[in-house]
Amino acid sequence: MKWIYIVAGIAFFFKMLFLSENPAPTLPFSIVDAVVQDSGIPNAVSGIILRNRLYDTIFEVVVFTIAIMGTKYLLSNERPPKKVYQFSDESSMILARLGATISALVGVELAIRGHLSPGGGFAAGVAGGTAIGLIAMTSSTEWMQGIYQRWHAAVWEKISVLVFILLSVITLSGFELPHGDFGALLSGGILPILNILVAIKVALGSWAVVLIFIRYRGLL
């Protein structure tokens, strides 16, 4: 019986590969041009993610939040090691902090101009989280935890999620800000604000996860 399934699977694969005809639909307009015109920004990808596919983006942010909560829950019962080993040689520390500076600047650039050029909130948040991870590799866990608590990073992370969801619901209800001048920094209505909120959320969430894993598992 197993061989029948294998043969049927192979036959179905070749049928879909060579015998299926799925011609592209012929439309009187360009889909990319339509997305750019509706969103008011030249980056059609950001227009799709933060406007046409905003429902999916909301749940992607929620899933990321749940993943962070799950990490805290699963590792909360583990015992931290007595000593966490980190980079101590000067050359590694200089390179890591230089890389963190470059990554942080890239993250800011992607967050602010993600609606005009390739980039966006998720990419910016990953760049920011990378910068935080590089700093954590060369600094004491207590110092990083102290900064995290002093600046109330966990609170700002939750605020960014709530504001993002609120603005997304308002946008989905049909209310939009003026698009402004096409291609300008202050254009696209609410989309640049959503980009920045996603970047803050992902960066601060990555910070929390990095601190948790270093605290309980060390540098893996």
Side-chain angles (χ1 to χ4, degrees):
M1 186 64 68
K2 179 175 67 175
W3 290 106
I4 296 177
Y5 294 148
I6 294 175
V7 172
I10 295 174
F12 181 74
F13 171 77
F14 282 104
K15 188 265 181 187
M16 296 298 296
L17 187 63
F18 297 108
L19 301 180
S20 297
E21 294 185 2
N22 188 22
T26 302
L27 299 175
F29 58 90
S30 171
I31 296 178
V32 175
D33 293 340
V35 171
V36 169
Q37 182 177 0
D38 291 340
S39 59
I41 58 176
N43 187 354
V45 175
S46 293
I48 292 174
I49 292 175
L50 297 175
R51 192 176 187 278
N52 300 63
R53 204 173 61 86
L54 187 54
Y55 274 118
D56 294 343
T57 306
I58 292 174
F59 287 104
E60 287 173 5
V61 173
V62 173
V63 166
F64 187 79
T65 304
I66 295 174
I68 296 171
M69 296 171 60
T71 303
K72 295 180 181 178
Y73 175 77
L74 291 175
L75 295 178
S76 60
N77 293 327
E78 294 197 11
R79 182 176 300 176
K82 295 182 180 180
K83 183 175 178 58
V84 176
Y85 294 95
Q86 291 159 311
F87 291 158
S88 57
D89 58 294
E90 187 174 354
S91 58
S92 297
M93 294 177 66
I94 292 175
L95 290 175
R97 293 177 181 177
L98 176 61
T101 303
I102 297 174
S103 183
L105 293 175
V106 170
V108 173
E109 167 73 11
L110 293 176
I112 295 177
R113 295 177 54 85
H115 61 297
L116 303 178
S117 60
F122 289 101
V126 171
T130 301
I132 293 171
L134 290 172
I135 294 296
M137 292 167 60
T138 60
S139 306
S140 66
T141 307
E142 293 78 12
W143 182 75
M144 291 292 296
Q145 189 70 34
I147 294 179
Y148 185 82
Q149 295 176 352
R150 185 188 314 156
W151 291 97
H152 307 287
V155 177
W156 286 110
E157 178 194 351
K158 294 178 177 62
I159 291 175
S160 64
V161 174
L162 295 177
V163 174
F164 177 84
I165 294 175
L166 177 62
L167 294 180
S168 298
V169 171
I170 294 174
T171 302
L172 292 172
S173 300
F175 298 95
E176 293 189 60
L177 295 176
H179 286 173
D181 296 331
F182 184 81
L185 185 61
L186 298 178
S187 63
I190 199 69
L191 301 189
I193 300 175
L194 296 179
N195 252 339
I196 294 174
L197 289 172
V198 171
I200 293 173
K201 161 61 189 168
V202 175
L204 295 181
S206 302
W207 190 356
V209 172
V210 166
L211 288 181
I212 291 172
F213 272 102
I214 291 179
R215 179 182 179 186
Y216 292 104
R217 299 292 177 84
L219 294 179
L220 300 179

